[in-house]
Amino acid sequence: MGMVSSERTSVSPSLSPSQLPTPTTPKQHGLTKPISVAGPTEVDWQRTRELEKFLVEAALYESEEEAAKREEVLGRLRLIVKDWVKDLTLLRGYSDQMVEDANALIFTFGSYRLGVHGPGADIDTLCVGPSYVNREEDFFFILHNNLAEMEEVTELQPVPDAHVPVMKFKFDGISIDLLYASISLLVVPEVLDISDVSVLYDVDEPTVRSLNGCRVADQILKLVPNVEHFCTALRCLKFWAKRRGVYSNVTGFLGGVNWALLVARVCQLYPNAIPSMLVSRFFRVYTMWRWPNPVMLCAIEEAELGFSVWDPRKNPRDKTHHMPIITPAYPCMNSSYNVSTSTLRVMMDQFQYGNKICEDVELNKAQWSSLFEPYFFFESYKNYLQVDIIAEDADDLRAWRGWVESRLRQLTLMIERDTFGKLQCHPYPQEYVDSSKPCAHCAFFMGLQRKPGEVVQEGQQFDIRGTVEEFKHSINMYMFWKPGMEICVSHVRRKQIPSYVFPEGYKRSRHPRLTSQQQSDKQSCEDGDACQTGSGERCLKRKKEPEAVQQDRPEKRQSISPERSVPSSLSSRIGSNIELINSDKKVQYQETEVGDVSNGSVITSLASEVGSCEDIGNESVAGSCEGNNGSVDGSVEGSNNPGSSQSDSCDAESESLLDNGRLKGNGVFQNGMQEELEPNAGVGKAQIWWVELTPKVCRNR
C-alpha cells in the first residue's frame, strides 16, 4: 500500500497542465492514422520465424556468389555506358574537357532495388545520360550495336515501341532490363538525386516514365515504417501471387511495383506489425477493399511541370480504371491500369482464398505451406481459349511472343466489350511449350465462363468470331514481323487440354485428393447444387442414385483428343452456346457431363457450367466482412485459442468498418470507405475526392 501511495503522489496536484507528461502520439505513415499500433506477441514472432524458414526452404533467396556476380555485372555495365557517352561526345565535336567530363549513370529499381529479388531474377536498370544523347538513335542503335558485339551479351532484344521503351538482354547470364533517360543537363554529375523533381525539367513523357521506376522505388522505401519487415512480407506475397497465377502486369494482373505498393500500404496501416502479421492483414484489408477506391501511400502531388497526374475528376480515362494503385512519386500515375473486370474478379477470389488460409494459420489449423499451394488453373474451367504462337527459331519466337503476350490483355478486353461483360475471361500468365513441334512454339491459355448470376435464354449465343479476327488482325500489325511468325486462337475443352501443360506430362486424376482450398469450398455446397469456388473452380455433390438406375445408364462415349496442329483458318464462337468453326464445316452438339467430348467438338451450353452459383460480383466486396464484427482483422471475440494474436484484440477496438458510410445529397462521401479500412482517417479533401465519382459503390451496403 505504501508503494501505491507513493506512486500516486509522484504526480503532484500542484503541477500545472503544461508540466504534466504528455502522451506521445504514434507517427503517422501515409494519408491516414494506422488501424492498429499493436506490436507482436511471442506467437507472432514464432509464426514469423516459421514463415521465414519456409521462404528459405523455397529457395527464394539468392546465394552470396550470385549476389556478388550481380554487383560485378552492374559495375561492368556502368563502364560500358560511360564509354558509350564519351564516344558520342567526341564524335559530335565537343571540347576535350567535355569529353573528359562526359558521364552516364546506372540506377536500379524494381525488385533488385527493393531487396526482394530471388535467384535468376532480372535486374531493372536505368541509364541516365546527358541531353545530347537521345533514345531513338544513340540508345537503340549505337549502344545496341555495341552490346551485340560483346561475347557476354546474349538474347539482346530492343523494345522501342513499349509504353516504357526498354532493351532486354543477358549479360554473363544475368538478365537485364535497361531503360534510358536523357535529362536536361550537358554533364551528368557523379552524384545525382533522382528523387528530386528537377530531373523532370524539359523531358518528354517516355523519359518521365523511365525515370519514375527509380523514383517510385525510392519513395516506397521512405514511406514504410520498417523496411526489413516490408521486404520479407513483399517477398512472401510475390511468391504467393506467382503460385496463384495473379502475378503479371502485362496479362492484366499485378506486377512487382503493384504488389510493392499494396504491401507498403498495409505496412503503413499496421506500423508495428512483423511479417507474419503483415501477410495476414494484407488479405484481410484487400478482401474488404472497395475498388475502385484507390490505394495511395501519400497525397497526390501536383507540381507545375505540366505532366498529367491521376485524377478521375479531370481525366475521363482515369474513371474507367478498376483497381487504382497510385505511385507515390510525381507525376502520380495508376500503376495498375491494365487490370480488367475479369482479372479483378480473379484477384478478389484469390484474396478470399488467402484470407481463409491465414485465418486457419492463426487458429493453428493450417501451416504456411497451405497458403502457397498452386492454383489448378486447368481444373477450374470447362472451356478455354488456346493461343498458339509459332516462329521459325528461338530468337524470332522471343520477339514475336513478347509482342503477342503484350496484346493478350486486349483480347480479354475485346471479349468483355463484345459480350457486354457476360462472358468472363481468365488469362493465365504462364506460357507453355510443346517441345515436340518442329518449329519454335509456345502457348497461352484463357479460362472462359459465363458471368455468374446471368440469366441465359435457351439457344442464346455470344459470337466472338469477329472479336478473335480483330485481335489477330491487330497482332499481325507487328512492324518486325518475319515469315514463319504465326498465331492460332482455338477453343478447347478441359478434356482436350494438351498434355505438355502438365508438369509430369500427364493430367491429374479426375478425383484428386482435395487441397485445403477445395476442402473449405466443399463445405459450402448443398446436395445437388453446383457452386463456384475461386475463379471457376466448382464442386458438385450429388444424391446417390439407386444401383439399378446406375446399372441401366448407358456408358459414355470415349473421348477422342483432337489433333494439336490448328489450321490458320480457325476461328471461335464462344458463349452460352459455343461453336468451333473449322473451314466451312460447322459441328454442334449439346454439352454433357465433364469429359464427354469428341474431336472437333462444340460446346453448346455454358448455362450448366455455373448452375445455381451465387453471383460473386465485383461492385461490393464489403459482404465478406460479415461475421467478423466489423473489425479489419476479423478477430473472434472470446477466442481462447493460444494461437490467436493479442494484437487482434487491439484491432477489434477500432471503429466498425461498415458504420456511418453515407452519401450526402450533394454527392459528397461522409465517413465512408476510408474510415472502413482506416477508421481514424481524416476527412480532408485528399482522402475523399475520388469517392464522389463512384457513389454506386458507396450505396451498396
Side-chain angles (χ1 to χ4, degrees):
M1 290 297 292
M3 185 176 67
V4 174
S5 175
S6 63
E7 286 184 354
R8 287 179 177 174
T9 59
S10 63
V11 179
S12 173
S14 63
L15 292 176
S16 64
S18 62
Q19 293 175 304
L20 293 173
T22 56
T24 57
T25 57
K27 180 181 177 183
Q28 178 173 311
H29 297 272
L31 287 172
T32 63
K33 293 181 181 179
I35 291 175
S36 171
V37 294
T41 65
E42 182 53 40
V43 175
D44 294 318
W45 281 112
Q46 178 61 31
R47 290 200 193 104
T48 294
R49 288 189 288 269
E50 293 171 356
L51 178 60
E52 291 174 341
K53 180 183 178 183
F54 176 85
L55 298 180
V56 170
E57 293 175 348
L60 297 185
Y61 295 88
E62 68 178 3
S63 64
E64 293 183 2
E65 293 77 11
E66 186 175 356
K69 185 175 182 180
R70 288 178 185 273
E71 288 297 328
E72 179 187 349
V73 166
L74 287 173
R76 295 165 69 183
L77 188 59
R78 290 186 177 98
L79 295 177
I80 290 170
V81 297
K82 282 186 178 182
D83 291 342
W84 164 62
V85 169
K86 286 182 181 293
D87 291 344
L88 288 172
T89 307
L90 179 63
L91 183 65
R92 287 173 187 169
Y94 287 97
S95 65
D96 292 343
Q97 185 62 46
M98 277 285 290
V99 174
E100 183 179 346
D101 294 339
N103 191 26
L105 300 177
I106 291 290
F107 293 89
T108 62
F109 61 101
S111 62
Y112 187 81
R113 174 70 180 91
L114 295 175
V116 295
H117 61 287
D122 59 5
I123 306 179
D124 295 311
T125 56
L126 168 70
C127 175
V128 176
S131 57
Y132 56 86
V133 177
N134 63 53
R135 180 187 301 105
E136 291 75 16
E137 297 176 2
D138 299 331
F139 180 73
F140 277 114
F141 184 72
I142 297 177
L143 180 60
H144 172 273
N145 290 343
N146 292 348
L147 292 172
E149 294 173 358
M150 298 180 181
E151 292 183 1
E152 307 97 320
V153 176
T154 58
E155 300 182 16
L156 183 59
Q157 179 187 358
V159 192
D161 55 343
H163 187 64
V164 181
V166 61
M167 194 143 56
K168 299 172 175 284
F169 56 93
K170 285 187 176 181
F171 194 102
D172 202 9
I174 302 295
S175 296
I176 302 288
D177 284 0
L178 181 61
L179 314 181
Y180 179 70
S182 172
I183 62 175
S184 56
L185 295 174
L186 285 175
V187 177
V188 178
E190 199 63 44
V191 178
L192 177 66
D193 184 6
I194 203 168
S195 297
D196 196 296
V197 73
S198 62
V199 300
L200 302 180
Y201 289 155
D202 198 24
V203 298
D204 58 10
E205 291 276 0
T207 300
V208 171
R209 291 194 289 268
S210 299
L211 288 166
N212 257 18
C214 298
R215 289 163 51 78
V216 167
D218 289 347
Q219 281 296 105
I220 290 174
L221 294 176
K222 291 176 183 177
L223 291 170
V224 294
N226 186 304
V227 173
E228 183 181 356
H229 294 165
F230 160 75
C231 289
T232 302
L234 177 57
R235 189 185 295 272
C236 170
L237 286 161
K238 286 180 63 175
F239 181 55
W240 173 85
K242 292 173 182 177
R243 295 285 285 176
R244 303 302 296 175
V246 290
Y247 188 94
S248 173
N249 183 280
V250 68
T251 313
F253 295 106
L254 302 181
V257 67
N258 311 124
W259 291 106
L261 291 169
L262 290 182
V263 174
R265 186 65 184 122
V266 174
C267 291
Q268 291 181 338
L269 296 174
Y270 298 90
N272 297 322
I274 59 176
S276 63
M277 299 167 65
L278 291 171
V279 171
S280 175
R281 273 53 168 185
F282 176 91
F283 291 113
R284 292 177 186 175
V285 167
Y286 293 116
T287 293
M288 292 182 282
W289 197 273
R290 291 189 174 182
W291 306 104
N293 294 297
V295 172
M296 301 194 298
L297 301 186
C298 58
I300 292 180
E301 177 187 355
E302 293 205 36
E304 297 181 355
L305 298 181
F307 294 112
S308 175
V309 298
W310 188 82
D311 189 347
R313 299 169 301 180
K314 299 178 182 178
N315 308 321
R317 180 176 294 182
D318 293 345
K319 294 182 182 180
T320 66
H321 294 167
H322 300 285
M323 193 182 190
I325 303 172
I326 311 305
T327 56
Y330 175 83
C332 299
M333 309 172 185
N334 176 22
S335 63
S336 53
Y337 59 88
N338 278 351
V339 174
S340 67
T341 302
S342 290
T343 54
L344 175 59
R345 169 186 60 86
V346 173
M347 286 187 283
M348 291 303 298
D349 289 343
Q350 293 304 324
F351 289 159
Q352 297 272 7
Y353 163 76
N355 188 44
K356 176 63 173 64
I357 297 297
C358 285
E359 288 176 352
D360 288 345
V361 170
E362 291 186 341
L363 295 173
N364 293 329
K365 293 181 178 179
Q367 301 296 321
W368 283 117
S369 57
S370 302
L371 182 64
F372 303 97
E373 288 182 359
Y375 175 65
F376 298 121
F377 175 70
F378 292 107
E379 297 178 13
S380 299
Y381 297 91
K382 286 185 176 181
N383 303 289
Y384 297 85
L385 277 186
Q386 177 176 337
V387 181
D388 288 284
I389 306 166
I390 301 169
E392 288 287 347
D393 54 46
D395 290 335
D396 286 353
L397 180 65
R398 189 178 304 110
W400 180 231
R401 183 209 65 203
W403 167 257
V404 175
E405 185 181 11
S406 70
R407 298 299 183 272
L408 282 178
R409 183 179 70 93
Q410 298 300 324
L411 178 57
T412 301
L413 296 176
M414 289 175 181
I415 292 175
E416 289 179 354
R417 177 200 66 193
D418 294 348
T419 63
F420 305 100
K422 295 181 179 181
L423 184 62
Q424 294 179 334
C425 300
H426 177 174
Y428 200 59
Q430 185 172 343
E431 66 172 281
Y432 298 90
V433 177
D434 185 357
S435 56
S436 66
K437 288 187 177 294
C439 53
H441 163 270
C442 69
F444 290 92
F445 291 83
M446 290 184 178
L448 298 172
Q449 70 174 10
R450 179 175 57 81
K451 181 179 179 180
E454 284 290 324
V455 178
V456 179
Q457 299 177 355
E458 185 177 356
Q460 180 182 357
Q461 294 182 344
F462 297 134
D463 190 344
I464 65 167
R465 287 176 297 180
T467 307
V468 170
E469 288 304 316
E470 180 185 351
F471 169 72
K472 292 169 65 177
H473 177 74
S474 68
I475 291 296
N476 290 326
M477 300 296 288
Y478 183 48
M479 62 185 301
F480 301 106
W481 184 88
K482 294 181 180 180
M485 292 181 174
E486 300 291 343
I487 177 175
C488 297
V489 181
S490 55
H491 162 245
V492 294
R493 292 201 58 187
R494 184 191 302 173
K495 190 72 173 180
Q496 298 169 307
I497 297 295
S499 60
Y500 63 78
V501 308
F502 298 97
E504 292 83 15
Y506 58 86
K507 303 175 186 180
R508 288 168 21 110
S509 61
R510 285 284 301 280
H511 301 288
R513 179 178 58 85
L514 293 180
T515 63
S516 59
Q517 74 190 79
Q518 292 167 329
Q519 289 279 9
S520 60
D521 292 335
K522 184 177 180 181
Q523 294 175 2
S524 62
C525 294
E526 299 288 342
D527 285 347
D529 291 338
C531 69
Q532 199 73 20
T533 63
S535 301
E537 297 178 41
R538 59 193 291 261
C539 56
L540 189 62
K541 293 178 67 176
R542 299 179 179 276
K543 295 181 178 179
K544 292 185 177 181
E545 300 180 23
E547 291 185 6
V549 176
Q550 293 179 354
Q551 292 174 357
D552 293 340
R553 176 177 292 172
E555 279 190 295
K556 293 182 181 178
R557 51 184 174 175
Q558 294 293 323
S559 303
I560 304 175
S561 300
E563 295 182 4
R564 295 264 43 88
S565 58
V566 184
S568 58
S569 60
L570 182 72
S571 63
S572 303
R573 184 176 184 178
I574 300 171
S576 297
N577 285 353
I578 297 183
E579 296 176 353
L580 194 66
I581 313 300
N582 191 342
S583 301
D584 58 347
K585 182 180 179 181
K586 181 168 72 175
V587 186
Q588 182 176 14
Y589 78 98
Q590 183 67 28
E591 183 185 33
T592 57
E593 295 298 326
V594 177
D596 189 3
V597 295
S598 63
N599 188 29
S601 62
V602 183
I603 315 306
T604 61
S605 175
L606 278 178
S608 62
E609 181 178 343
V610 271
S612 58
C613 294
E614 295 179 2
D615 189 359
I616 311 175
N618 292 321
E619 289 189 358
S620 174
V621 297
S624 61
C625 310
E626 295 179 3
N628 66 2
N629 300 322
S631 72
V632 172
D633 278 352
S635 55
V636 181
E637 294 186 356
S639 174
N640 295 320
N641 191 304
S644 300
S645 171
Q646 290 181 4
S647 60
D648 288 344
S649 63
C650 178
D651 298 334
E653 295 174 1
S654 62
E655 294 178 31
S656 172
L657 297 183
L658 303 178
D659 286 345
N660 304 323
R662 299 291 182 270
L663 275 169
K664 295 194 293 187
N666 59 3
V668 178
F669 190 65
Q670 184 177 17
N671 299 331
M673 172 63 197
Q674 201 69 16
E675 293 188 1
E676 292 176 6
L677 286 171
E678 302 156 28
N680 298 316
V683 195
K685 184 177 293 185
Q687 286 84 12
I688 66 171
W689 56 262
W690 60 82
V691 188
E692 298 175 21
L693 301 169
T694 55
K696 183 177 181 182
V697 177
C698 309
R699 290 195 183 103
N700 287 342
R701 295 178 178 268

